[in-house]
Amino acid sequence: TSLVALILFGASVLMIPYPLNLIPIPVLYGLFVFLAVTSLGELQIWERFVLIFTEQSLYPPFHYVRKVPQKIIHCFTLLQMMQLTALCMVSFGSSAYLKMLFPFIIVSLIPIREWVLPKIISKRHLVALDGDH
């Protein structure tokens, strides 16, 4: 269903301007929410967020669960959630001046990942938490 929704979404470019104006805006918002919710299960940050509320004996066998201690996983997840919250506050803020900070916040994530996080979490654990292995 996600593939069909994405194909129809791409085909909607061909319907500009007249037929697309017939689609109510709440329907488009619903489509975007559907796409966002269905893709949540594929995100590692969502998997790690769910682990915060899951008993350790019930953890699924993700590669980082076997290589990284629980405390480090939760610390890394909370740090990423704080960064995501900052991004959302800037991008969804009501002030146009605040929204202009968005590119700077995105660029600031690079030094945070390269220099700040290795001082909090060991590089070995960061390698295990970062990617799909």
Side-chain angles (χ1 to χ4, degrees):
T1 47
S2 294
L3 179 64
V4 173
L6 288 172
I7 290 171
L8 290 174
F9 181 71
S12 68
V13 174
L14 302 173
M15 296 190 294
I16 294 175
Y18 179 68
L20 196 57
N21 290 337
L22 298 176
I23 301 173
I25 297 296
V27 171
L28 292 176
Y29 287 160
L31 175 66
F32 295 143
V33 168
F34 170 75
L35 291 174
V37 169
T38 56
S39 68
L40 267 180
E42 301 169 7
L43 298 174
Q44 190 186 84
I45 191 170
W46 179 254
E47 292 171 353
R48 286 187 278 107
F49 180 72
V50 171
L51 290 180
I52 292 174
F53 304 104
T54 305
E55 185 178 330
Q56 190 172 8
S57 63
L58 300 175
Y59 280 9
F62 297 131
H63 68 279
Y64 54 85
V65 170
R66 292 177 288 204
K67 297 179 181 179
V68 182
Q70 176 186 14
K71 181 180 174 183
I72 302 294
I73 294 173
H74 296 335
C75 177
F76 183 70
T77 303
L78 292 175
L79 290 171
Q80 280 193 324
M81 287 292 182
M82 289 179 357
Q83 293 170 358
L84 180 64
T85 302
L87 278 174
C88 288
M89 287 172 51
V90 168
S91 63
F92 297 132
S94 59
S95 170
Y97 295 111
L98 187 64
K99 290 181 181 184
M100 290 190 314
L101 292 175
F102 185 80
F104 298 107
I105 301 285
I106 291 290
V107 170
S108 73
L109 293 177
I110 297 169
I112 288 173
R113 170 58 186 88
E114 293 298 319
W115 295 316
V116 176
L117 280 180
K119 293 182 192 237
I120 300 170
I121 299 171
S122 73
K123 288 189 180 195
R124 178 175 56 97
H125 291 146
L126 282 175
V127 168
L129 287 168
D130 265 346
D132 295 327
H133 300 289

